[in-house]
Amino acid sequence: MRGGHGLARVAVVVRAGAAPLWWLGVLAAGIGVLPGGLTGRRIGVLTGAALFLLAAAAVATARRKRYTALAASAARAGKHDVLQDRAVTARNWRRAHRWWLLLAFLAALGTSFALPAAGGMLLAGCGAGLRLKAAWLGRRERADEVLLWVRVDWLRAGAARPTGKQVKAFRSTGIAAGDAAPGGTRRKTAVPGGTRRKTPALV
């Protein structure tokens, strides 16, 4: 790549866990509400609702100062950097975390014998929080008219955490670069092709 790096969208990395956590949480809550549990369904569901809100708020606001600092110091991506596709970034994150997701699902089911549905609702709250965090990043990207990226090799070293200790800085491109819109959502008119090499300063 003649000095370039593979870059993944920060917001896409954040959003990657939202859907699996949400749906695994919904499934765990649906199954977990069937047994009466030690506390009964009503207390379990009420506790789960409180845990959902707390988890969503905590995950959505966690490490915002770190994201803000990295975004403020983001350097422009170089012409030899390779922008990773949205689908590839999401698939890599889910592959790296598949065992953690399975363990979280099993733990959510296990807690149902004490608090019906509560563990599943907690898991779903974490997924909702990630979606809210990605939406917050999207608002920043639109306001600043840039897209934020992180080096792929730094993600591998830090278990796919875009604000891990190994991440020294974000990189930025124009708002039209890549195949994901601000916030990491799929563009309505996606750029055709796979992982591509661009001149980010010009897009």
Side-chain angles (χ1 to χ4, degrees):
M1 285 190 288
R2 291 188 296 175
H5 296 95
L7 303 179
R9 278 289 302 286
V10 174
V12 173
V13 177
V14 171
R15 285 181 65 92
L21 284 171
W22 171 264
W23 289 113
L24 288 174
V26 169
L27 180 59
I31 297 173
V33 79
L34 298 177
L38 298 176
T39 61
R41 292 187 182 89
R42 183 173 180 275
I43 293 177
V45 170
L46 289 175
T47 302
L51 289 173
F52 176 92
L53 294 174
L54 288 172
V59 172
T61 57
R63 300 182 69 82
R64 281 198 177 186
K65 289 183 179 179
R66 172 75 168 152
Y67 280 98
T68 300
L70 289 170
S73 61
R76 198 71 170 176
K79 65 179 181 179
H80 298 303
D81 289 330
V82 176
L83 308 184
Q84 191 175 78
D85 281 354
R86 176 181 182 273
V88 174
T89 301
R91 183 171 65 247
N92 289 346
W93 188 97
R94 291 165 186 170
R95 184 178 297 162
H97 290 78
R98 61 189 182 279
W99 296 114
W100 290 107
L101 291 170
L102 177 60
L103 288 173
F105 175 70
L106 294 176
L109 285 179
T111 60
S112 299
F113 293 101
L115 286 167
M121 295 176 76
L122 173 63
L123 205 60
C126 292
L130 287 176
R131 191 173 293 273
L132 290 172
K133 178 177 286 185
W136 169 73
L137 283 169
R139 290 192 294 272
R140 280 195 60 95
E141 289 178 324
R142 289 188 183 92
D144 297 339
E145 295 187 343
V146 297
L147 299 181
L148 299 173
W149 303 77
V150 61
R151 280 173 48 174
V152 172
D153 58 329
W154 286 343
L155 291 180
R156 294 194 188 106
R161 289 179 56 201
T163 56
K165 290 182 179 179
Q166 78 290 342
V167 176
K168 309 303 180 185
F170 289 161
R171 295 197 183 181
S172 66
T173 65
I175 204 76
D179 65 346
T185 58
R186 184 180 290 108
R187 289 190 188 276
K188 293 181 179 179
T189 54
V191 178
T195 301
R196 56 189 64 79
R197 189 169 296 169
K198 287 181 176 294
T199 306
L202 300 180
V203 294

